[in-house]
Amino acid sequence: MGSFWHAFADMSAVEANGPFVIDRAEGTHVWDESGKRYLDATAGLWFANVGFGRAQIAEAVATQMEKLPAYSTFGDYSNRPAEALCDLVSELAPVPNSKVFLTSGGSDSIETATKMARRYWQLVGEPERQIFINREHAYHGMHISGTSLAGIPANAAGYGDFLEEVEQVAWDDAAELAELIHKLGARNVAAFFCEPVIGAGGVFPPPEGYLKAVRQVCRDTGVLFIADEVITGFGRCGDWFASGRFDLEPDLITCAKGITSGYLPLGAVVAAPRVADEFYAARAGMFRHGYTYSGHAAVAAAAIANLDIIESEDLLGRARELESELPAALERLMTLDVVEEIRSGLGVLAAVQLDPDRLEEDPALPMKVVAGAREAGVLTRALGPGALQISPALVTSANDLEEMVSGLAIGLEAAG
Ligand code: PLP
């Protein structure tokens, strides 16, 4: 066995069974080292929005790497790809005149947003606003702030306390958020974190009117509204950002994944003028925060090429078509006893929820279904409440959907 310590893994099990080595990928498919082909129902980890094998991105990166791979962007240092990318993201974001802070991934973006939120309140003279509110089922990455903000209990367990000023509300109840803020005193609450569609927690699309209502609660109480669009950004919800589709105008948007479709690691925080102006004011001084790769030139080139593909191939339009094609294709799995429900209907996102009674009898059921689907040539993943992740690339065809549902059905039948 080698030295590669896998993420989110029980390494004793990985060592016992050996790693599952992915060798190459093209479009919506990946191949293992034996040459077996799989339909990728998850777009990697929700990131491969434009699909795999895009020479245009590889060429843009190679050209940039030969010229300038990366350089510091601390202080007054800059590079043109990072500038061009931030201008582009600011233009695409549903927040007029926003500023864009680059990071190396989603967890970095969450970490940055928590520090921006706290610092913002200090800058405007309300330093007692320290509490963050998250939602049940939430996933906000795995740095210290993201772990503290976890709405999936297992993800926060086993470390003791990190950030203590965190309160949680139900995932679907705007009135509860208003009541909690009232109880805590708005003057003590810094920000509310909200995934427009809860992803890793099990794919829970928002109830009708929920997003607008929580946005309004935040407006009414001054609490910063932070949309975590690490999954939903850059096309997955049929718009550049889900916040645009629901007209939310967040104070901060965290993003990653689809910004490069995973060709290189990148994250970003989009800041509305309400927040950014305070940091840009002369009296604010230096924001002592940032990463070595905040503005990596070759990564920025990958992102620009990726966003160009999304635009030129109208993948936002394709995502809106898939929004109804995907549930229609998955519907046939409802005939299987082991399936409790299909959660879908917003963007290219769905979960196949397994029957709770069966899950209680056999907690290993999701892993068995995942293994069976893999055997049948479809890659999926078990999510929090015993559900299967369905988030294929935005270039998914009708044939791909058919292949996906057939493989899932085989895995579900074998395990169920
Ligand atoms: N926020 C959300 C909503 C996510 O889904 C994720 C990752 O899946 C993150 C944050 C963390 O992103 P990363 O894994 O790139 O650090």
Side-chain angles (χ1 to χ4, degrees):
M1 193 65 193
S3 310
F4 179 29
W5 187 342
H6 299 203
F8 267 91
D10 170 351
M11 285 311 291
S12 73
V14 175
E15 282 205 308
N17 302 320
F20 173 46
V21 181
I22 301 299
D23 185 46
R24 67 189 177 91
E26 183 68 39
T28 51
H29 289 85
V30 303
W31 284 258
D32 69 17
E33 281 187 315
S34 74
K36 180 169 171 170
R37 186 178 95 132
Y38 304 86
L39 188 281
D40 176 15
T42 57
L45 274 173
W46 330 79
F47 59 69
N49 288 6
V50 301
F52 299 106
R54 297 290 196 155
Q56 186 180 332
I57 301 178
E59 282 156 18
V61 171
T63 304
Q64 184 57 44
M65 279 194 171
E66 281 172 17
K67 191 175 177 209
L68 174 75
Y71 204 80
S72 168
T73 60
F74 284 17
D76 65 347
Y77 283 101
S78 185
N79 63 73
R80 295 299 181 205
E83 288 180 355
L85 173 63
C86 291
D87 288 349
L88 182 55
V89 170
S90 171
E91 211 174 283
L92 300 174
V95 181
N97 304 313
S98 52
K99 302 291 187 193
V100 180
F101 193 102
L102 297 176
T103 74
S104 303
S107 298
D108 276 5
S109 298
I110 292 292
E111 195 79 3
T112 299
T114 54
K115 288 175 74 178
M116 272 184 185
R118 282 278 185 88
R119 184 88 195 106
Y120 165 80
W121 287 116
Q122 298 226 345
L123 288 171
V124 300
E126 294 190 56
E128 60 289 351
R129 282 202 186 244
Q130 298 208 29
I131 300 171
F132 296 113
I133 301 178
N134 70 350
R135 291 156 79 205
E136 174 194 13
H137 303 306
Y139 184 81
H140 297 298
M142 288 287 102
H143 286 354
I144 297 290
S145 337
T147 304
S148 306
L149 291 165
I152 303 170
N155 283 349
Y159 304 102
D161 290 330
F162 290 134
L163 258 186
E164 290 185 355
E165 302 88 352
V166 176
E167 300 281 341
Q168 189 169 115
V169 288
W171 70 277
D172 56 352
D173 188 346
E176 188 184 328
L177 176 67
E179 281 158 28
L180 178 66
I181 294 174
H182 181 70
K183 192 179 106 201
L184 296 167
R187 68 185 183 289
N188 297 313
V189 181
F192 172 59
F193 281 82
C194 181
E195 291 164 88
V197 177
I198 285 175
V203 183
F204 291 91
E208 180 86 36
Y210 172 83
L211 293 173
K212 277 258 178 212
V214 287
R215 180 66 186 105
Q216 194 55 45
V217 169
C218 289
R219 273 203 188 94
D220 294 344
T221 54
V223 169
L224 293 173
F225 180 82
I226 304 180
D228 185 353
E229 296 233 32
V230 167
I231 287 176
T232 53
F234 303 102
R236 190 153 288 283
C237 281
D239 206 331
W240 286 106
F241 292 88
S243 299
R245 195 155 162 184
F246 291 93
D247 200 15
L248 302 178
E249 246 190 276
D251 297 304
L252 296 171
I253 302 175
T254 51
C255 43
K257 299 190 190 275
I259 191 169
T260 58
S261 288
Y263 279 74
L264 285 172
L266 177 65
V269 180
V270 177
R274 172 188 176 189
V275 175
D277 287 356
E278 299 299 330
F279 288 79
Y280 274 55
R283 66 186 150 71
M286 182 193 292
F287 179 33
R288 290 189 169 271
H289 177 79
Y291 305 106
T292 299
Y293 303 126
S294 290
H296 189 288
V299 173
I304 292 167
N306 169 64
L307 299 179
D308 185 51
I309 292 171
I310 295 175
E311 170 77 43
S312 61
E313 296 185 9
D314 188 24
L315 295 185
L316 304 184
R318 179 64 192 136
R320 281 193 295 272
E321 290 169 1
L322 282 165
E323 182 170 286
S324 48
E325 290 174 18
L326 183 63
L330 291 169
E331 184 61 32
R332 107 171 193 236
L333 299 176
M334 284 299 294
T335 57
L336 303 172
D337 288 346
V338 69
V339 176
E340 167 80 2
E341 66 173 355
I342 310 287
R343 286 190 291 275
S344 61
L346 180 54
V348 192
L349 285 167
V352 178
Q353 177 63 52
L354 305 182
D355 178 62
D357 295 336
R358 304 292 299 279
L359 286 166
E360 209 175 305
E361 274 164 34
D362 181 6
L365 184 65
M367 300 316 294
K368 290 179 186 165
V369 176
V370 168
R374 187 192 287 183
E375 186 66 30
V378 171
L379 298 186
T380 180
R381 194 170 76 104
L383 299 177
L388 304 178
Q389 175 182 334
I390 311 294
S391 58
L394 310 186
V395 291
T396 295
S397 67
N399 283 345
D400 290 333
L401 288 178
E402 177 53 38
E403 189 181 336
M404 182 176 83
V405 174
S406 302
L408 291 172
I410 293 170
L412 287 160
E413 273 164 0

